[in-house]
Amino acid sequence: MEDETVVKAPMSREHRLFHAVEKGNLELVKELLEEGVSINAKDSLGNSPLIKAADEEDLDMAKFLIEKGANVNLRNTTGETALYRAVYRGNMDIVKLLVKAGAETKVKTVGGVSLVELADERGEEGILKYLLSIK
């Protein structure tokens, strides 16, 4: 029996971007964006790098992506936005950052869940009050 070696294909640049965001590797993210990878690329679930940064609760990464022009209102396949993920994680700093950057606050997921309902359901009273205070 011959020894079979598995040869993995190199990661695509988009895949490397998502991996860098997940690991908080800002330098690699900068490098990949300079190489031309779209800041609004989507993974197989429709998540953008900004959605990933919000989900990872990485404020510095989220700030950087927004400064570089990331679309704050992109939605994944279930209709979640970066703001939805920040509310889900209970991260008020990222919630405020996204709202200040123009994130829509009245959106609902494909399943019909609003940000206010999510905050209430998750017991995020501070975020709930904040969302309700936005006109």
Side-chain angles (χ1 to χ4, degrees):
M1 230 184 194
E2 286 186 36
D3 182 30
E4 293 182 29
T5 8
V6 176
V7 178
K8 288 187 178 179
M11 255 194 258
S12 71
R13 290 186 314 167
E14 286 80 9
H15 188 82
R16 288 178 61 212
L17 175 63
F18 284 98
H19 193 271
V21 170
E22 285 174 19
K23 298 296 179 199
N25 187 340
L26 193 54
E27 288 310 309
L28 182 55
V29 169
K30 288 177 183 176
E31 187 181 306
L32 289 164
L33 293 176
E34 284 170 14
E35 288 177 14
V37 178
S38 172
I39 198 162
N40 294 315
K42 289 194 167 194
D43 68 10
S44 61
L45 298 174
N47 293 308
S48 68
L50 184 56
I51 292 172
K52 281 284 191 197
D55 203 36
E56 294 293 330
E57 299 186 68
D58 189 335
L59 183 62
D60 291 334
M61 185 70 71
K63 280 181 184 173
F64 172 77
L65 292 169
I66 290 168
E67 286 167 9
K68 290 296 180 187
N71 181 337
V72 296
N73 290 308
L74 287 180
R75 299 165 69 112
N76 66 18
T77 56
T78 60
E80 297 172 352
T81 62
L83 183 54
Y84 182 96
R85 296 310 304 163
V87 171
Y88 181 86
R89 294 289 183 197
N91 192 309
M92 179 67 94
D93 291 336
I94 295 179
V95 167
K96 287 182 174 179
L97 172 73
L98 291 163
V99 169
K100 186 178 173 189
E104 296 173 16
T105 58
K106 306 295 184 214
V107 295
K108 291 187 178 188
T109 63
V110 173
V113 179
S114 73
L115 295 170
V116 166
E117 291 167 329
L118 177 67
D120 185 42
E121 187 180 287
R122 309 262 320 152
E124 296 294 344
E125 292 177 25
I127 291 175
L128 179 59
K129 285 178 186 171
Y130 175 71
L131 290 172
L132 291 171
S133 75
I134 298 168
K135 298 292 174 227

